[in-house]
Amino acid sequence: MPDPTVVLKGGRVVDATGERAADVLIGADGTIAAIGADLIAPRVLDAGGCIVAPGLVDLHSHLREPGQEDAETVESGSRCAALGGYTAVVAMPNTTPAIDSAAMVHEVRSLGATALCHVAVSGAITVGRAGEQLAPMAEMAALGVRIFTDDGTGVQDNRLMRRAMEYASGLGVRLAQHCEDSALAAGGHMHEGEWSSRLGIPGQPAEAEEVMVQRDISLARLTGASIHFQHLSTAGSVAMVRAAKAEGLDVTAEATPHHLALTHALCAGFDPVFKVNPPLRTDADVAAVVAGVLDGTIDAIATDHAPHVQEAKERPFDQAPPGMLGLETALGVAVTELSKQGDIDWVQLLALLSWQPAAIAGLAEHTGTLVEGRAAHLCVIDPTSVWAVDAAQSASLSRNTPWAGRRLTGRVRHTVLAGEPVVVDGEATR
Ligand code: DOR
């Protein structure tokens, strides 16, 4: 056994195999040295009253580097992630330039090398995310990129998407789609419905998302490819994914914390902090997304952490960019919202926040079972801590959180990355 350095003491270990009261001993080599009773090490981190779990894994983080370093950097985004309990995030490729080549994969990975969490890189499906020509996915896959997306936009051209699926299948990688038909969504700044009519803000209909979900399910059936649906927001999308899974297609899906909790009514104050793509929808859509999370239709809760500088988010609603912060609040929002449906099933919730997204992203070190020898990527969660979100306290370089002032239940106490406590008692250690 490697020399122990740290022990997480007095917690309830929750992983894919269930729950048990146990200490977790971390070795000098950054792996779990032992799990059991009365373990000792030179450094003790108190996990009393807490859940000790595999670190959270985010499938959908916009880290903005290179290109928009005033909004976020890989370092600041990874700090938000660690504070939120994440030990790995998948960086979206809508940087400037886009991550659409081996050189860009190398660049963002090297920025992530000293980050406070693992930074896995997703590659673009098309060159420059322009939707015209397939990106060199093979050269990125050869570097270990496992997930490809044009996120921020969906691949519009049906034939190109078919070819992308065939290409991806051959490489054994997964495509992730931001489902938005650009013609149907054109000019829309919020959900098209009762509130867009009242406010006089042009909307995007639910169908702008749903026609692309439907098309990609058809193309997945045709090609046998696997497809991951990003940030599903409508009842119709959830129903289609449920049916596709029942049919046996290799589809997976994520939902964001904001689509589990917030509706288009929040746009009534014309505050662009509530502007996001896909837009906040109706009560019925929120209920359907929650139901999809609870019945397993949705595999992952993913943040879509999308920082924007204050100046941009202070523009009028129709001129402000869409997007919301999410990494520091995702766990608290998920606990707060899902506990309204009954007692939290922690194995189910952590599956959605940790090992299911890890499996979708192909992150083999982030498995759901905590055993001796596994890399010590861990988070310690106080499930009963109630806290108020203070935008000014965020580790992000941006301030666009829709949760400001809200009280959330469930907070991260410690985060351990490869054996290093990067967050202790809610504070980053470096
Ligand atoms: O609201 C959004 N913001 N949705 C996206 O798909 C992209 C993201 C961003 O990059 O700001």
Side-chain angles (χ1 to χ4, degrees):
M1 180 167 89
D3 284 347
T5 55
V6 179
V7 63
L8 303 175
K9 202 146 197 67
R12 190 154 54 99
V13 173
V14 179
D15 70 2
T17 65
E19 313 192 8
R20 58 212 183 274
D23 299 339
V24 177
L25 192 65
I26 296 165
D29 65 351
T31 66
I32 295 174
I35 299 179
D38 304 322
L39 299 176
I40 41 177
R43 186 169 181 196
V44 179
L45 295 184
D46 178 23
C50 289
I51 288 162
V52 179
L56 309 187
V57 175
D58 188 32
L59 276 174
H60 200 136
S61 288
H62 294 278
L63 301 180
R64 302 297 191 220
E65 197 177 2
Q68 273 185 266
E69 292 85 350
D70 46 350
E72 201 76 289
T73 60
V74 172
E75 198 278 336
S76 65
S78 77
R79 188 170 293 273
C80 296
L83 289 164
Y86 290 90
T87 51
V89 301
V90 179
M92 288 295 105
N94 64 336
T95 47
T96 312
I99 307 173
D100 62 358
S101 65
M104 286 302 297
V105 170
H106 279 304
E107 177 171 344
V108 177
R109 278 199 184 152
S110 67
L111 291 168
T114 52
L116 281 80
C117 67
H118 278 168
V119 177
V121 173
S122 61
I125 298 173
T126 68
V127 174
R129 300 173 44 255
E132 284 160 12
Q133 237 182 301
L134 291 179
M137 286 194 265
E139 70 176 38
M140 292 185 269
L143 295 176
V145 176
R146 283 286 157 271
I147 196 153
F148 291 85
T149 175
D150 274 2
D151 182 59
T153 183
V155 177
Q156 304 296 315
D157 184 302
N158 301 338
R159 185 166 178 276
L160 191 67
M161 190 60 198
R162 175 193 179 168
R163 293 292 176 237
M165 284 192 178
E166 289 165 346
Y167 187 16
S169 289
L171 296 170
V173 297
R174 188 175 290 267
L175 299 183
Q177 188 77 283
H178 168 121
C179 288
E180 181 182 324
D181 180 281
S182 58
L184 276 175
H189 299 286
M190 62 177 292
H191 173 66
E192 180 180 301
E194 182 194 340
W195 278 100
S196 64
S197 301
R198 283 200 211 176
L199 299 170
I201 299 174
Q204 309 178 6
E207 286 74 6
E209 174 174 311
E210 292 166 359
V211 295
M212 195 170 282
V213 172
Q214 187 58 67
R215 179 204 67 180
D216 284 354
I217 288 171
S218 298
L219 292 178
R221 188 183 294 115
L222 174 68
T223 61
S226 54
I227 178 93
H228 175 72
F229 291 109
Q230 297 176 301
H231 43 48
L232 288 187
S233 69
T234 81
S237 298
V238 175
M240 286 186 277
V241 169
R242 186 178 288 119
K245 286 189 163 186
E247 188 190 327
L249 300 179
D250 186 6
V251 302
T252 53
E254 68 187 37
T256 68
H258 45 275
H259 290 113
L260 290 176
L262 307 180
T263 75
H264 58 163
L266 286 163
C267 299
F270 295 93
D271 184 346
V273 82
F274 298 111
K275 180 174 179 178
V276 66
N277 262 344
L280 302 178
R281 307 255 188 208
T282 67
D283 287 311
D285 291 313
V286 168
V289 173
V290 170
V293 161
L294 293 176
D295 76 7
T297 301
I298 289 166
D299 304 273
I301 295 174
T303 67
D304 198 0
H305 178 84
H308 288 287
V309 291
Q310 195 92 334
E311 177 273 319
K313 275 295 201 183
E314 280 170 357
R315 291 180 202 144
F317 200 91
D318 61 342
Q319 290 161 39
M324 300 172 162
L325 301 183
L327 283 165
E328 291 163 286
T329 47
L331 174 85
V333 173
V335 171
T336 305
E337 290 307 314
L338 294 178
S339 60
K340 292 177 184 164
Q341 311 295 317
D343 286 345
I344 295 277
D345 175 338
W346 278 95
V347 175
Q348 183 184 23
L349 180 59
L350 289 163
L352 287 155
L353 285 165
S354 174
W355 52 89
Q356 285 173 187
I360 291 167
L363 301 177
E365 271 194 16
H366 294 261
T367 57
T369 34
L370 296 183
V371 287
E372 232 171 86
R374 179 198 185 273
H377 305 311
L378 304 164
C379 69
V380 178
I381 299 163
D382 182 344
T384 57
S385 168
V386 177
W387 58 292
V389 180
D390 178 358
Q393 296 291 315
S394 173
S396 174
L397 300 184
S398 295
R399 289 288 172 264
N400 54 308
T401 174
W403 310 104
R406 293 220 184 203
R407 289 172 79 77
L408 302 178
T409 302
R411 193 166 198 181
V412 172
R413 186 182 288 184
H414 315 303
T415 305
V416 176
L417 175 68
E420 178 195 353
V422 287
V423 172
V424 173
D425 291 326
E427 305 278 347
T429 55
R430 60 176 164 101

